């Protein structure tokens, strides 16, 4: 007689993600590990599919008035928070307000919003003072910061404070009692989640959970993670080191999956609040001193997985342009030194933050330090883990009082396809993301783009943005790169998307 199947056998997927999870507010920070966490726990009103089209997600139906000034949204039936409470219009409005105070697109969208009003428990309206093409693009943007919907009591948390209640309505429940920063984060299937009926497509469609439990295991050493993958101790690595990919492809039990074909862009971010980068001339000096190849060779190494590209808004995409950048990023040290002199650089040290626990970022800061020193700058490179960088970069203190002058990071391409969505182009002073650039001309161009619906005219605005970025640099694009996932062959159903998501994923053998 055959033994009965275990009634409570569970399928658990063990994943090593790009970073440790230490912050649990996906609106407060743009850090991708927190965004990834957000997609596990929360849901969005709209979502971007694999074609780049925005589709309803939590929304059932929506309409816009003939003058394009009043939008009406009705939620799907059966939407519940993890505590069993229904998702309501009040929750949506409060969540949009908080997101709109932090996110680059949200901030721009809110300049058009006259009023948000509850019609009934499942229906609400957004009235505008002028028409804009940002409504669906904003509410459905796929990456940092997505407009995640939270309970009103949580969304009422001031935008500059972190939330302390982690109840969402997404496909997974976060197990706060099992969360051990530096060790693991645990998610379990939300049995009452009601997925859409459409098949999954990138961030859109039906989020059908086929796993009982997902554990994010912290392994800071890439070789250790790959060894664990080979041994079957883990199932998935989000960002395997490029130099270990040949080892992975040779293993009969492992495979690589191109999860994000649009790729990523590396970025050097200035803090404009303090000397020396309060002076645009000195920021321009680095545009001339840097070159992309040095950064890409040091971090990625294999040209199969990188591309030199001066376009701020991603090569191969509609708004790619070299405007303003043709003579930049060529390591013209003579020109860079001239600009340093014009800017009055007097030898003050630059506090440069280095992340040490993300393989794709670790070597960026040493390259920047070397190139900066070649034009006569003094660099104080301070090393720390990524989550410490994420926390420190929010500080406006002087660099010698715990603040900073510059840091390096990476953006998923889907975040930076135009001047409004690209957070580092936001130059709205105190409302801008960390670095706090302040430039009325850039802000006018971004507003012009938000109002324009003619693609040809939008392209002209994008070119003007890049020209202005060359005059008033808010950051430096130091190259595009591409990152496959590594996983055991027992894992199937991984969705190609700008974010590593775990709905639709199956694990053979439990």
């Amino acid at each position: 007689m055959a033994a009965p199947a275990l009634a409570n056998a569970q399928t658990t997927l063990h994943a090593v993600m790009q970073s440790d999870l230490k912050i649990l507010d996906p609106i407060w920070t743009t850090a991708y590990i927190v965004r990834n966490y957000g997609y596990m726990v929360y849901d969005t009103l709209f979502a971007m599919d694999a074609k780049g089209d925005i589709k309803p997600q939590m929304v059932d139906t929506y309409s816009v008035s003939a003058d394009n000034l009043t939008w009406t949204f009705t939620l799907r039936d059966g939407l519940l928070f993890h505590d069993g409470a229904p998702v309501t219009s009040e929750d949506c409005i409060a969540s949009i307000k908080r997101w709109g105070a932090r996110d680059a697109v949200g901030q721009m969208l809110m300049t058009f919003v006259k009023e948000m009003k509850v019609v009934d428990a499942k229906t609400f309206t957004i009235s505008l003072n002028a028409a804009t093409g940002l409504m669906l693009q904003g509410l459905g943007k796929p990456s940092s910061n997505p407009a995640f919907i939270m309970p009103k009591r949580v969304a009422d948390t001031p935008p500059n404070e972190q939330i302390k209640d982690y109840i969402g309505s997404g496909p997974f429940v976060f197990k706060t009692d099992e969360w051990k920063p530096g060790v693991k984060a645990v998610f379990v299937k939300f049995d009452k989640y009601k997925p859409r009926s459409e098949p999954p497509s990138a961030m859109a469609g039906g989020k059908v959970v086929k796993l009982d439990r997902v554990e994010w295991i912290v392994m800071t050493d890439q070789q250790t993670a790959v060894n664990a993958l080979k041994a079957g101790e883990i199932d998935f690595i989000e960002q395997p080191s490029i130099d270990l990919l040949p080892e992975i492809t040779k293993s009969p039990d492992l495979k690589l999956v191109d999860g994000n074909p649009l790729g990523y862009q590396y970025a050097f971010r200035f803090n404009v609040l303090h000397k020396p980068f309060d002076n645009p001339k000195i920021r321009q000096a680095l545009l001339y001193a840097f070159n992309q190849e040095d950064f890409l060779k040091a971090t990625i190494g294999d040209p199969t997985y990188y591309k030199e590209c001066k376009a701020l808004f991603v090569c191969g995409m509609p708004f790619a342009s070299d405007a303003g950048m043709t003579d930049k990023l060529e390591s013209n040290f003579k020109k860079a030194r001239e600009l340093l002199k014009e800017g009055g650089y007097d030898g003050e040290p630059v506090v440069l933050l280095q992340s040490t626990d993300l393989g794709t970022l670790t070597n960026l800061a040493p390259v920047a330090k070397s190139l900066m020193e070649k034009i006569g700058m003094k660099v104080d490179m301070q090393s720390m883990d990524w989550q410490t960088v994420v926390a420190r970069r929010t500080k406006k203190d002087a660099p010698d009082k715990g603040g900073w002058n510059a840091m390096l990071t990476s953006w998923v391409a889907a975040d930076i396809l135009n001047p409004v969505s690209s957070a580092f182009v936001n130059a709205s002073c105190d409302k801008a993301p960390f670095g706090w650039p302040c430039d009325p001309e850039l802000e006018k161009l971004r507003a012009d783009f938000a109002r324009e619906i003619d693609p040809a005219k939008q392209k002209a605005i994008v070119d003007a943005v890049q020209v202005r970025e060359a005059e008033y640099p808010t950051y430096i694009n130091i190259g595009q790169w591409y990152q496959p996932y590594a996983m055991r062959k027992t894992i199937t159903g991984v969705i190609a998307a700008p974010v590593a998501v775990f709905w639709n994923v199956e694990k053979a053998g439990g």
Side-chain angles (χ1 to χ4, degrees):
M1 180 177 174
L6 291 175
N8 60 350
Q10 287 201 330
T11 302
T12 300
L13 184 141
H14 300 89
V16 171
M17 305 301 284
Q18 58 181 269
S19 173
D20 186 16
L21 178 68
K22 294 182 179 178
I23 295 169
L24 299 180
D25 188 342
I27 303 302
W28 184 82
T29 179
T30 57
Y32 283 155
I33 189 64
V34 189
R35 172 210 62 189
N36 290 10
Y37 153 88
Y39 272 108
M40 301 288 277
V41 176
Y42 303 99
D43 215 340
T44 55
L45 296 172
F46 292 84
M48 182 181 287
D49 71 9
K51 296 179 180 178
D53 296 328
I54 302 298
K55 301 292 187 181
Q57 184 59 35
M58 298 174 78
V59 165
D60 181 20
T61 61
Y62 68 98
S63 61
V64 61
S65 61
D67 60 5
N68 292 311
L69 296 181
T70 302
W71 292 74
T72 302
F73 305 95
T74 300
L75 299 174
R76 291 193 286 128
D77 290 332
L79 299 181
L80 296 175
F81 287 112
H82 298 156
D83 59 3
V87 179
T88 69
S89 298
E90 285 191 340
D91 301 314
C92 297
I93 289 174
S95 297
I96 292 169
K97 285 180 179 176
R98 188 168 188 266
W99 164 78
R102 297 285 302 187
D103 177 69
V105 178
Q107 289 173 355
M108 183 65 74
L109 175 60
M110 294 306 287
T111 67
F112 291 86
V113 173
K114 182 167 66 176
E115 181 184 33
M116 293 191 283
K117 189 175 179 180
V118 171
V119 175
D120 58 38
K122 288 172 50 184
T123 304
F124 64 98
T125 61
I126 300 180
S127 300
L128 306 178
N129 51 43
T132 176
L134 293 181
M135 182 66 75
L136 300 185
Q137 293 294 326
L139 297 180
K141 70 190 296 267
S143 194
S144 297
N145 301 93
F148 290 124
I149 300 303
M150 302 176 174
K152 182 179 184 298
R153 67 176 186 277
V154 180
D156 283 342
T157 303
N160 292 323
E161 296 179 16
Q162 292 187 47
I163 61 173
K164 298 180 175 63
D165 181 340
Y166 312 116
I167 296 293
S169 69
F172 292 90
V173 177
F174 182 62
K175 296 285 288 179
T176 54
D177 58 329
E178 296 189 55
W179 179 39
K180 297 179 181 178
V183 180
K184 68 177 180 179
V186 178
F187 307 84
V188 296
K189 178 180 179 178
F190 179 35
D191 288 333
K192 295 180 180 177
Y193 181 79
K194 184 178 179 181
R196 295 189 68 89
S197 60
E198 303 93 336
S201 177
M203 312 311 297
K207 299 180 179 180
V208 178
V209 175
K210 302 177 181 179
L211 303 164
D212 297 298
R213 182 178 171 97
V214 176
E215 295 187 5
W216 290 358
I217 308 299
V218 177
M219 290 185 183
T220 56
D221 181 75
Q222 283 283 308
Q223 185 64 64
T224 300
V226 170
N227 291 343
L229 190 67
K230 286 181 176 179
E233 296 165 3
I234 62 172
D235 304 296
F236 177 96
I237 302 175
E238 184 185 8
Q239 291 189 352
S241 178
I242 299 296
D243 62 351
L244 295 176
L245 297 186
E247 181 179 342
I248 293 167
T249 56
K250 289 176 185 175
S251 172
D253 300 320
L254 307 183
K255 63 181 177 180
L256 298 175
V257 173
D258 185 6
N260 177 22
L262 283 181
Y264 302 79
Q265 182 191 91
Y266 279 131
F268 179 97
R269 178 65 162 177
F270 301 103
N271 182 346
V272 308
L273 297 183
H274 305 288
K275 293 180 65 177
F277 295 135
D278 59 335
N279 190 315
K281 289 283 186 184
I282 295 176
R283 303 201 299 274
Q284 288 173 26
L286 296 197
L287 264 177
Y288 283 94
F290 285 177
N291 72 86
Q292 293 182 341
E293 186 178 21
D294 284 359
F295 289 98
L296 294 167
K297 280 187 173 179
T299 52
I300 306 303
D302 184 345
T304 304
Y305 297 104
Y306 71 72
K307 177 190 295 182
E308 292 183 65
C309 166
K310 297 180 182 181
L312 294 185
F313 305 110
V314 185
C315 283
M317 298 307 289
F319 295 123
S321 171
D322 280 345
M325 299 292 168
T326 52
D327 62 338
K328 315 297 190 299
L329 294 168
E330 302 286 348
S331 282
N332 183 341
F333 297 135
K334 180 176 182 294
K335 177 67 174 178
R337 293 186 190 104
E338 290 172 359
L339 286 164
L340 275 190
K341 186 175 181 180
E342 289 177 33
Y345 177 70
D346 59 7
E348 64 267 27
V350 171
V351 173
L352 175 66
L353 305 185
Q354 181 201 20
S355 165
T356 57
D357 62 332
L358 268 67
T360 52
L361 296 183
T362 300
N363 292 341
L364 292 174
V367 172
K369 180 176 186 288
S370 173
L371 293 171
M372 292 162 73
E373 288 174 343
K374 284 181 178 178
I375 62 170
M377 300 189 83
K378 293 181 180 178
V379 181
D380 176 12
M381 188 176 76
Q382 299 185 12
S383 304
M384 60 205 73
D385 66 42
W386 175 242
Q387 292 302 316
T388 303
V389 172
V390 168
R392 185 162 169 185
R393 70 189 185 184
T394 66
K395 295 182 179 181
K396 295 183 177 181
D397 308 79
D400 61 354
K401 299 289 193 299
W404 59 285
N405 291 116
M407 56 84 63
L408 298 110
T409 187
S410 180
W411 289 98
V412 66
D415 272 341
I416 54 173
L417 299 181
N418 65 64
V420 174
S421 68
S422 182
F424 278 178
V425 180
N426 181 339
S428 59
C429 311
D430 284 347
K431 292 183 178 180
F434 56 89
W436 308 281
C438 192
D439 184 56
E441 187 170 335
L442 270 176
E443 284 305 285
K444 180 184 181 301
L445 289 168
R446 292 177 69 241
D448 290 345
F449 182 90
R451 289 186 176 88
E452 186 54 65
I453 58 173
D454 183 325
K457 292 180 179 177
Q458 285 183 330
K459 183 68 166 63
I461 294 169
V462 167
D463 288 352
V465 167
Q466 282 204 175
V467 170
R468 182 57 184 164
E469 274 282 349
E471 299 164 348
Y472 184 94
T474 61
Y475 83 104
I476 300 177
N477 163 17
I478 48 178
Q480 282 181 216
W481 61 286
Y482 305 87
Q483 173 72 68
Y485 302 141
M487 66 193 76
R488 295 191 62 80
K489 289 182 178 177
T490 52
I491 304 303
T492 57
V494 173
I495 296 169
V499 181
V501 297
F502 292 91
W503 56 81
N504 200 57
V505 175
E506 295 186 74
K507 178 181 176 181

